[in-house]
């Protein structure tokens, strides 16, 4: 049963990844078109740059006062949080199943 829930958390991470690859590039294009200073601050490889992802995950994107951008960045942040949470919880449950093999079977 524990590994089943771990698999569900992996599914949550996959769903988050699907939403992330939709919203984050749209948000980056919006930044490129309307906020070139912020886009330059994030760098050229902002899609996979850990600093840019932390900028998104730590809600610092709200400093950009643009409703269109925050409307794209908020779902991207939520989907990134789903990826991180899903993978962490799947890892915790997998470790639980290895450490306590008889519990939750």
């Amino acid at each position: 049963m524990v590994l089943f829930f771990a698999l569900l958390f992996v599914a949550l991470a996959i769903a988050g990844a699907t939403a992330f690859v939709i919203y984050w590039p749209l948000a980056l294009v919006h930044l490129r078109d309307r906020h070139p200073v912020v886009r330059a601050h994030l760098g050229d490889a902002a899609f996979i740059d850990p600093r840019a992802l932390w900028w998104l995950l730590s809600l610092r994107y709200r400093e950009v006062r643009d409703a269109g951008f925050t409307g794209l960045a908020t779902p991207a942040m939520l989907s990134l949080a789903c990826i991180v949470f899903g993978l962490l919880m799947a890892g915790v449950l997998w470790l639980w199943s290895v450490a306590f093999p008889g519990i939750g079977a």
Side-chain angles (χ1 to χ4, degrees), residues 50-63 77 80:
R51 290 182 298 127
L53 296 177
W54 180 248
W55 178 80
L56 178 67
L57 200 56
S58 64
L59 303 178
R60 288 186 292 169
Y61 70 89
R62 291 184 177 181
E63 296 170 357
M77 183 274 304
L80 183 59

Side-chain angles (χ1 to χ4, degrees), residues 18-35:
T18 303
F20 184 76
V21 298
I22 293 170
Y23 285 104
W24 186 228
L26 291 173
L28 291 174
V29 168
H30 187 88
L31 281 180
R32 182 195 66 200
D33 293 344
R34 299 197 178 152
H35 305 283

Side-chain angles (χ1 to χ4, degrees), residues 41-100:
H41 172 71
L42 293 178
D44 290 333
F47 184 77
I48 57 171
D49 185 16
R51 290 182 298 127
L53 296 177
W54 180 248
W55 178 80
L56 178 67
L57 200 56
S58 64
L59 303 178
R60 288 186 292 169
Y61 70 89
R62 291 184 177 181
E63 296 170 357
V64 179
R65 299 290 180 204
D66 183 355
F69 171 69
T70 56
L72 292 169
T74 300
M77 183 274 304
L78 290 173
S79 61
L80 183 59
C82 283
I83 294 169
V84 171
F85 178 74
L87 291 178
L88 284 175
M89 289 304 296
V92 165
L93 289 176
W94 176 75
L95 286 175
W96 179 277
S97 72
V98 170
F100 307 106

